[in-house]
Amino acid sequence: MKPLAAVLAIVVLVAVLGVMGIGVGALSFFASHGCGSGEDRLAQSLAAHGIFAQRPSGARPQGERTAICDVDDRIVDVEQVYRVPRAGNDVFDFYREVAVRDGWKPSTEEEDAGGFCFTKAIADKDVDFSVSVDKPDMVYVRMSSSVDGGGWC
């Protein structure tokens, strides 16, 4: 019986170590998946950027500035919505001028009638800045990036 008990103990030990190995891998995945304190700090930094303090004449903020983090891609998106009477080319012209003056470069993303995007390296991270119009009077001003750099246009 002793050899059988020893074999059984080895099988149990191998099974336990195997489960622990899977557990460590799963823990590593879940620890690196989702948003954490790094993304919180990035959101605060983006939300405090001076470009949000500038807005066209007559633009009224609609609610608070929002910050969300996509848990899959870990991209932080900070947005302020404004109501602007007759939003259109004049709003785009305003933000293009502000962006260029602040060192932003036009993105390689294709521009359309509904908006545009600029990029800039801030603290060694690529950050995207976009402006879009929805409905005739709603303007969305957005910055996005990730802890590793790069966001959405």
Side-chain angles (χ1 to χ4, degrees):
M1 283 284 213
K2 284 198 175 210
L4 182 61
V7 168
L8 208 72
I10 291 172
V11 169
V12 169
L13 180 62
V14 168
V16 168
L17 290 175
V19 169
M20 285 178 60
I22 292 170
V24 169
L27 180 61
S28 173
F29 170 78
F30 286 113
S32 67
H33 188 75
C35 301
S37 60
E39 286 78 16
D40 289 342
R41 286 188 300 277
L42 177 60
Q44 290 172 353
S45 174
L46 294 177
H49 194 279
I51 208 152
F52 285 112
Q54 301 181 55
R55 59 182 187 231
S57 176
R60 294 186 324 271
Q62 301 299 293
E64 298 291 319
R65 191 166 303 147
T66 60
I68 60 169
C69 179
D70 180 277
V71 294
D72 292 329
D73 296 319
R74 297 174 67 182
I75 293 178
V76 174
D77 194 31
V78 177
E79 177 181 78
Q80 179 66 58
V81 180
Y82 296 99
R83 183 173 299 273
V84 179
R86 298 174 309 281
N89 287 339
D90 54 336
V91 171
F92 291 149
D93 291 344
F94 173 85
Y95 279 110
R96 277 190 193 99
E97 183 179 314
V98 167
V100 168
R101 191 174 48 233
D102 195 35
W104 295 84
K105 304 291 182 204
S107 171
T108 58
E109 298 288 322
E110 191 171 316
E111 184 175 324
D112 63 25
F116 66 87
C117 184
F118 279 66
T119 60
K120 179 179 178 179
I122 299 175
D124 297 325
K125 292 175 185 40
D126 289 335
V127 177
D128 293 316
F129 167 67
S130 63
V131 176
S132 60
V133 173
D134 183 35
K135 303 178 185 172
D137 63 346
M138 301 300 283
V139 175
Y140 298 81
V141 177
R142 180 178 302 122
M143 288 179 72
S144 70
S145 189
S146 68
V147 172
D148 298 325
W152 290 316
C153 275

